[in-house]
Amino acid sequence: MTRTGSGSISHEVRQHTRTRTGLLAIAAVGALALGGCSGGRASPSHESVSSKGVVDGTIIATGDNSEWLSYGRTYDEQRYSPLDAINRTNVGELGLAWSSDLDTARGQESTPLVIDGVIYITTAWSKVRAYDAKSGKELWAYDPEVPGATGVKGCCDVVNRGLAAWGDKLFLGTFDGRLVALDRKTGKVAWTQVTTDPAKPYTITGAPRVVKGLVIIGNGGAEMGVRGYVTAYHADTGKQAWRFYTVPDAPGKNSEKYLKDAEKTWHGQYWAEGGGGTAWDSMAYDPELDLLYIGVGNGSPWNQGIRSEGKGDNLYLSSIVAVRPETGEYVWHFQTTPGETWDFTATQSIILADLTIGGKTRKVLMQAPKNGFFYVIDRETGKFISGKNFVPVNWATGLDPVTGRPIENPEARYYKTGKMWVGSPGAGGAHSWHPMAYSPKDKLVFIPAQHAALPYFPDKDWKPAKKGFNTGVDMSAGAMPADPAVRKAAAEATWGELIAWDPVAQKARWSVKFPSVNNGGVLATGGGLVFQGNMTQNLAAYASDSGKKLWSYPVQTGIVAPPITYEIDGTQYVAVVAGWGGIWALAPGILSQDGGPIRNVSRLLVFKLGGKATLSKPMTLDQLPLDPPAFAGTKEQVAKGAYRFARFCSTCHGDAAVGGGELPDLRRSAFIQQRDAFQQVVHDGALTDLGMVSFADVMKPEEIEDVRQYVIHRANEDKALEAAGGKAPAAPSPTPADKATQAAAQIVKDQEKTGPRR
């Protein structure tokens, strides 16, 4: 329940179940009885931004070898750089050139941009920093001052994935729904547009894209209850050009043909909770075809039985949609998961390339969305070419070879059976937002894959709420028990993998296994290398043809962001923003801690051959004691508190009240000691300025007390487990930046002085 970092704070009920895997593998063990976008086009090094002074569509399309001008480097989003000064023969000599500590101790997911010798990054809480890319000297910083209280609207941490560039400006989407244009040289604001309704639980975490002078931005919030859309603004003035809705409004309110067509695929009062379909991350653009491709997210609520009476394909959820970038005109769509009900978004990386298939060159679009299948689609027409699961899946037995429609397992529709469904993959997805990369030299796609199941229980008594997840799935029913055997089995059933995938043959060429999921995005280079950071607190380089690890560097924190590379004065650099976070560091509970709790040490790290810089040794953080008050509640309180904790608290403070290490572990928190202190924070909003808002609008005082008793009960369970020789889930002590935890402790002390409320 806290936001940490310089001015950053936020205990927002990190409403997400997008990786509610704390429960996931549990159930898996049966223990839940309770255009210029052609592949491989070389970039003309003479066509640099510095020679023109501005960023435009031509240079983004072709790319500049020495720079990184757009989120995926070029419009095709391949995340491949032809630079080869760092290669398989010398990568072992890679060392730290310089680093910069960041002031936000939350998840870092930014892709840096490098333009005219300056590196630009975003951090958690939508802050921006600019550095001399060679020396590391900070040039300017911008803080949009996102209110900590808005963190409660987010599903998966207060992250930001990066900037867009056009002309002499940078463009930033802020967590609280603004689109901000900044002067690239000074960081001063040129214009601002509020692009989401502040009264609704919208957020922006994704990077904008700029096509033909239009800045294109989506949004998030489908877990909470919103209607998704994408908006384009003129880069010079901020004036809105068009808006494309990804799901239909109520019948009779849809004027566009594509929305009228979609309306026929929905049933019931789907519009009441917005329908979802937020386009919160992926986009790509083909200049030759003049098509912008948008990845669309999950339904709201997830449970299609509630959302659409269990009927219809519910367009354009979980789809890739092609539109004209100047007008937003619909051209075609391909739906990966018709009638989506598992949080299987299609917002994952979209990569464009030209592949030789059946002896012919095909213009294709490739995606490995959450549902576990790798798709190759004709990007001119949207027609299915091929698809194969890249991890084991059980919700479908395969794809129709002509249409690409999944052949579903009927038992997967849990709202129809009324029974628990242990889905593989789960809501975290076989591949989440972490960008994949494509090497035109190796003709391989490198996927940061995930093996993690999830138990889906239909929530029979579900009603929408103003806060928390509005999924229609009962997450408390699958909470991790205090059973060492179950926990061990769950951990063994959950792991991560870097897969080198042949998109033509539709099979893996090699893979690297990790002890858990949520490993970083990927970079491929002309030096025959694949770079990826991981949850084992290393940045590593692998041979792109074999997967052999050739180099790694200990970074003192988990990495979820993707690396980039650039060149200055003949020297090639590799850069990555490090900092453990995102949904996996918050929600899955004990499964967040495979190998021990991972701390957040947020930094920008830049490497070069022969680099000699070193990282300062991180401050020692002692584990907080597990010393809860004696449980004095009732079984009924625990049952009721478990449900409310899962819905309103677990996505910040972890499944079964086991903290993931980024925010306070409430089992070890001072303010569960006293009823009044807990009420003061959760009901009265005593820590609102620090991001822990009041939940009085969704829970009565007695319901909040049920939550406290549940946490106390869970803490005592784990304390007994620890005393019996079992391993109780650990949690590091809060960092000095954890102002909310310190404030909570002060509230407890004040209560001790003044006595209880009457």
Side-chain angles (χ1 to χ4, degrees):
M1 290 188 164
T2 60
R3 160 183 172 186
T4 61
S6 147
S8 292
I9 321 144
S10 143
H11 146 84
E12 52 290 345
V13 192
R14 182 122 338 274
Q15 292 40 338
H16 194 308
T17 303
R18 191 176 295 251
T19 318
R20 184 113 233 74
T21 35
L23 341 173
L24 43 93
I26 274 199
V29 227
L32 293 178
L34 312 171
C37 304
S38 59
R41 179 171 299 172
S43 313
S45 58
H46 65 278
E47 185 78 31
S48 66
V49 173
S50 57
S51 69
K52 302 174 66 177
V54 297
V55 177
D56 63 18
T58 299
I59 197 168
I60 295 176
T62 57
D64 179 286
N65 285 3
S66 63
E67 303 185 326
W68 197 281
L69 304 176
S70 187
Y71 184 67
R73 197 181 84 88
T74 46
Y75 279 137
D76 54 25
E77 302 273 326
Q78 291 183 2
R79 289 185 176 264
Y80 171 81
S81 170
L83 292 178
D84 59 4
I86 300 170
N87 52 56
R88 294 175 193 165
T89 63
N90 61 18
V91 68
E93 302 169 25
L94 206 59
L96 188 67
W98 59 269
S99 66
S100 177
D101 291 345
L102 306 177
D103 64 354
T104 55
R106 296 294 294 271
Q108 308 297 344
E109 298 184 357
S110 174
T111 292
L113 300 185
V114 180
I115 307 168
D116 282 347
V118 179
I119 186 168
Y120 304 93
I121 66 167
T122 61
T123 73
W125 296 103
S126 313
K127 298 182 181 183
V128 185
R129 287 190 173 190
Y131 303 85
D132 182 292
K134 184 176 181 179
S135 69
K137 177 184 177 182
E138 184 172 310
L139 303 177
W140 56 259
Y142 169 71
D143 183 355
E145 299 182 351
V146 173
T150 63
V152 75
K153 296 181 178 182
C155 75
C156 318
D157 211 346
V158 289
V159 297
N160 188 280
R161 297 190 188 92
L163 301 157
W166 190 266
D168 59 358
K169 293 183 180 67
L170 299 172
F171 302 94
L172 165 75
T174 68
F175 191 79
D176 57 349
R178 288 171 281 160
L179 180 64
V180 181
L182 301 174
D183 182 279
R184 203 170 74 226
K185 286 186 167 44
T186 65
K188 295 189 180 301
V189 175
W191 54 258
T192 300
Q193 284 285 1
V194 177
T195 186
T196 62
D197 184 347
K200 295 181 179 180
Y202 284 104
T203 56
I204 296 177
T205 56
R209 311 295 200 279
V210 190
V211 177
K212 295 188 169 183
L214 296 177
V215 188
I216 302 157
I217 188 70
N219 45 60
E223 276 67 41
M224 282 56 179
V226 298
R227 182 188 182 200
Y229 58 83
V230 175
T231 315
Y233 298 88
H234 290 279
D236 53 351
T237 65
K239 182 180 178 181
Q240 182 174 320
W242 52 260
R243 176 162 289 176
F244 181 91
Y245 284 96
T246 54
V247 298
D249 201 347
K253 293 186 176 180
N254 301 295
S255 57
E256 297 92 339
K257 182 181 183 301
Y258 84 95
L259 288 175
K260 289 182 178 180
D261 291 342
E263 184 184 313
K264 300 171 186 176
T265 69
W266 290 75
H267 299 269
Q269 294 188 330
Y270 60 85
W271 62 89
E273 299 305 314
T278 48
W280 50 267
D281 194 22
S282 61
M283 285 182 264
Y285 173 60
D286 185 328
E288 183 181 344
L289 299 176
D290 194 30
L291 289 177
L292 172 71
Y293 307 97
I294 299 166
V296 183
N298 55 283
S300 180
W302 293 358
N303 187 330
Q304 198 203 21
I306 298 171
R307 185 181 71 241
S308 183
E309 298 180 345
K311 297 181 290 187
D313 286 353
N314 296 175
L315 293 173
Y316 296 91
L317 296 182
S318 303
S319 298
I320 298 165
V321 182
V323 303
R324 296 296 178 195
E326 290 181 282
T327 62
E329 174 193 358
Y330 165 89
V331 179
W332 60 255
H333 77 275
F334 178 86
Q335 189 171 41
T336 58
T337 311
E340 195 283 313
T341 195
W342 307 276
D343 190 21
F344 284 170
T345 62
T347 52
Q348 285 55 58
S349 317
I350 294 172
I351 290 178
L352 312 182
D354 292 351
L355 301 181
T356 301
I357 301 175
K360 297 180 180 179
T361 300
R362 301 287 300 270
K363 296 180 181 297
V364 308
L365 176 155
M366 298 180 286
Q367 190 186 51
K370 275 190 177 183
N371 72 13
F373 289 94
F374 188 95
Y375 294 85
V376 179
I377 299 166
D378 187 307
R379 70 175 184 266
E380 294 186 83
T381 64
K383 299 298 183 182
F384 176 74
I385 296 175
S386 68
K388 183 73 179 292
N389 58 299
F390 59 95
V391 300
V393 304
N394 67 355
W395 71 277
T397 58
L399 302 177
D400 182 283
V402 176
T403 66
R405 190 180 182 92
I407 304 166
E408 287 188 14
N409 179 347
E411 294 182 4
R413 295 216 170 251
Y414 51 90
Y415 58 84
K416 289 186 176 181
T417 67
K419 301 177 182 178
M420 176 197 73
W421 166 252
V422 183
S424 178
H431 171 218
S432 190
W433 69 270
H434 313 81
M436 60 188 190
Y438 171 71
S439 168
K441 290 180 66 175
D442 298 286
K443 295 180 172 52
L444 295 175
V445 178
F446 305 101
I447 311 169
Q450 304 185 144
H451 298 258
L454 177 77
Y456 295 87
F457 291 82
D459 191 337
K460 298 178 182 178
D461 300 318
W462 181 84
K463 293 180 181 178
K466 293 180 180 179
K467 290 188 177 74
F469 266 23
N470 284 302
T471 63
V473 174
D474 182 359
M475 291 300 175
S476 66
M480 183 78 77
D483 183 324
V486 172
R487 291 176 172 182
K488 181 175 183 292
E492 290 175 350
T494 306
W495 74 93
E497 194 174 12
L498 175 61
I499 301 176
W501 190 261
D502 183 331
V504 176
Q506 287 284 10
K507 64 180 182 180
R509 294 300 183 189
W510 56 259
S511 69
V512 176
K513 187 175 180 178
F514 298 104
S516 189
V517 304
N518 210 46
N519 299 290
V522 182
L523 164 69
T525 74
L529 299 171
V530 176
F531 288 90
Q532 184 190 29
N534 56 55
M535 53 78 63
T536 66
Q537 306 183 60
N538 285 279
L539 176 65
Y542 305 90
S544 60
D545 60 346
S546 67
K548 180 181 179 181
K549 184 192 286 187
L550 302 176
W551 170 86
S552 68
Y553 188 93
V555 297
Q556 304 174 352
T557 188
I559 296 177
V560 291
I564 67 156
T565 189
Y566 61 93
E567 184 181 74
I568 297 178
D569 297 333
T571 297
Q572 184 181 351
Y573 298 83
V574 174
V576 69
V577 182
W580 181 242
I583 188 63
W584 195 262
L586 298 171
I590 190 172
L591 291 181
S592 299
Q593 303 180 6
D594 282 354
I598 303 174
R599 66 195 303 159
N600 180 295
V601 183
S602 292
R603 293 180 173 128
L604 170 60
L605 305 171
V606 179
F607 299 86
K608 68 176 182 179
L609 295 176
K612 301 296 184 183
T614 58
L615 295 174
S616 58
K617 192 172 182 179
M619 179 179 57
T620 300
L621 298 180
D622 296 326
Q623 180 179 309
L624 290 172
L626 188 59
D627 189 23
F631 174 65
T634 67
K635 290 183 178 179
E636 184 181 15
Q637 281 183 307
V638 171
K640 291 180 177 178
Y643 176 84
R644 293 186 177 91
F645 185 92
R647 184 161 182 186
F648 298 116
C649 309
S650 64
T651 47
C652 278
H653 299 291
D655 169 54
V658 178
E662 185 178 346
L663 292 179
D665 186 320
L666 297 187
R667 298 170 307 145
R668 304 171 189 270
S669 173
F671 74 89
I672 66 167
Q673 301 283 337
Q674 295 184 8
R675 179 186 187 280
D676 287 352
F678 199 79
Q679 292 284 339
Q680 206 171 336
V681 173
V682 183
H683 184 275
D684 300 347
L687 301 180
T688 294
D689 290 344
L690 302 180
M692 175 54 208
V693 300
S694 166
F695 284 80
D697 55 350
V698 292
M699 288 191 285
K700 300 174 183 178
E702 60 269 26
E703 293 172 330
I704 292 173
E705 176 61 9
D706 291 344
V707 170
R708 187 177 79 96
Q709 290 298 334
Y710 168 71
V711 175
I712 292 172
H713 173 73
R714 282 289 305 110
N716 278 280
E717 280 189 322
D718 285 334
K719 184 177 181 180
L721 181 66
E722 191 176 65
K727 183 180 179 183
S733 62
T735 67
D738 195 345
K739 299 178 182 178
T741 297
Q742 297 170 3
Q746 186 60 49
I747 287 173
V748 173
K749 292 180 181 178
D750 292 343
Q751 286 293 331
E752 291 173 348
K753 294 177 182 178
T754 60
R757 286 187 284 187
R758 302 298 180 187

